Amino acid sequence: MTSTTALRSLRVQIKDAVAEVELIGPGKGNAMGPDFWKELPEVFEALSEDETVRAVLLYGSNGHFSYGLDLAGMAPVFAPMLSAGGMDARKREGFRRQIKDLQDAVSSVSRCAKPVIAAVDGWCIGGAIDVISAADIRIASPAAKFSVREVKVAIVADLGSLQRLPAIIGEGPTRHLALTGEDFDAGRAYRLGLVTELADDVVGRGRELAAAVAANPPLVVQGVKQVMNRGQEPAVQAGLDYVQLWNSAFLASHDFNEAATAFAERRPAVFTGN
């Protein structure tokens, strides 16, 4: 596996058949920048192959899971297409491939042969929802706060939440959250079924759950995950493929530029549908 000392966005520790993967930044609120998107699939693919690992616990540092996509850090991903006004087909195709790479990074959590438990404290926004949606078990602290925020920045969420959340919380709640972009607290997340438990010491409880999973027959545990994923994966992948095309065609917009400018200027965005 990639040496923990070589990682910048994640810290990995393995003990008693449980791997702990901690989001550590380097951006504020563990925002997901280029390092994260490179390292996440490397780590989860390695853990999937590691026969000493039976379960994975995923959580954030410094009181938050993650603020989501690091817009400033990921600007180079968007810049080439936006600079061409969305009119350069080659750049649009390159952008589609970049979206696919980010999707594949999130899907590495779902593909991991070992069950993944996400323990959420503090904020879990946008791309962070995509990541926890790919986990097998989600728990939260009472202080956790969530948002499927992409609509607020003129983006159709494209990394898996629109594909995976309906099977977790239902289509109606998914549409509600994705269309409003509103914040919601841990109590609502629990009532919706996004998380299955609330715990004051959410990482401690996550460790207990991971240990319980790791104590079960490993091939049977992996089989449960594979069988349950089998029925969902074709529909999830079809949705991911479609949103690649949608965003490569429509993301370069006046509204997206307005969202980015308003974010930088710390003011409300005014969208025109252009």
Side-chain angles (χ1 to χ4, degrees):
M1 192 180 80
T2 302
S3 170
T4 298
T5 58
L7 301 174
R8 299 191 69 234
S9 70
L10 302 170
R11 180 182 296 118
V12 182
Q13 301 179 69
I14 300 173
K15 182 180 179 182
D16 297 331
V18 174
E20 294 191 10
V21 181
E22 182 181 9
L23 283 65
I24 58 173
K28 183 178 179 182
N30 309 318
M32 299 169 169
D35 292 320
F36 174 84
W37 296 110
K38 175 179 178 291
E39 294 170 1
L40 185 72
E42 291 177 352
V43 165
F44 273 90
E45 286 163 11
L47 293 177
S48 187
E49 297 296 325
D50 189 334
E51 294 185 358
T52 70
V53 173
R54 295 188 176 190
V56 182
L57 176 62
L58 177 64
Y59 59 94
S61 63
N62 299 316
H64 295 287
F65 189 82
S66 174
Y67 286 178
L69 190 71
D70 181 351
L71 291 174
M74 295 298 290
V77 173
F78 299 105
M81 185 188 67
L82 295 176
S83 66
M87 299 301 291
D88 188 316
R90 189 177 299 277
K91 288 181 179 177
R92 285 204 309 274
E93 169 57 14
F95 183 62
R96 184 198 66 78
R97 291 196 300 269
Q98 288 172 319
I99 294 172
K100 183 180 186 302
D101 288 344
L102 300 184
Q103 291 176 344
D104 287 345
V106 172
S107 293
S108 71
V109 177
S110 178
R111 286 194 307 267
C112 180
K114 318 304 167 55
V116 180
I117 298 161
V120 181
D121 192 16
W123 277 110
C124 181
I125 302 173
I129 297 278
D130 295 306
V131 170
I132 69 166
S133 296
D136 300 282
I137 298 172
R138 289 159 296 279
I139 62 174
S141 77
K145 294 173 285 187
F146 304 81
S147 180
V148 184
R149 185 75 61 87
E150 287 87 347
V151 70
K152 295 288 191 181
V153 290
I155 298 174
V156 176
D158 56 8
L159 302 184
S161 58
L162 299 185
Q163 290 73 35
R164 294 187 173 98
L165 281 180
I168 298 168
I169 65 173
E171 183 167 334
T174 299
R175 288 177 186 258
H176 182 121
L177 298 173
L179 291 170
T180 64
E182 64 192 21
D183 301 341
F184 58 104
D185 63 16
R188 187 175 176 190
Y190 176 71
R191 291 191 297 274
L192 288 172
L194 178 61
V195 300
T196 53
E197 287 189 20
L198 300 180
D200 290 328
D201 179 5
V202 72
V203 174
R205 178 56 180 152
R207 288 175 176 141
E208 291 176 354
L209 288 171
V213 170
N216 288 327
L219 292 180
V220 173
V221 165
Q222 292 172 38
V224 170
K225 177 168 183 171
Q226 290 172 17
V227 169
M228 295 194 72
N229 280 359
R230 181 76 172 181
Q232 298 175 5
E233 286 172 350
V236 168
Q237 192 57 54
L240 292 173
D241 292 345
Y242 183 71
V243 77
Q244 291 171 28
L245 299 175
W246 178 275
N247 273 356
S248 61
F250 290 104
L251 188 59
S253 66
H254 291 294
D255 279 348
F256 181 77
N257 282 330
E258 165 63 9
T261 301
F263 178 81
E265 296 177 355
R266 301 183 179 224
R267 61 169 175 82
V270 179
F271 298 122
T272 62
N274 295 306

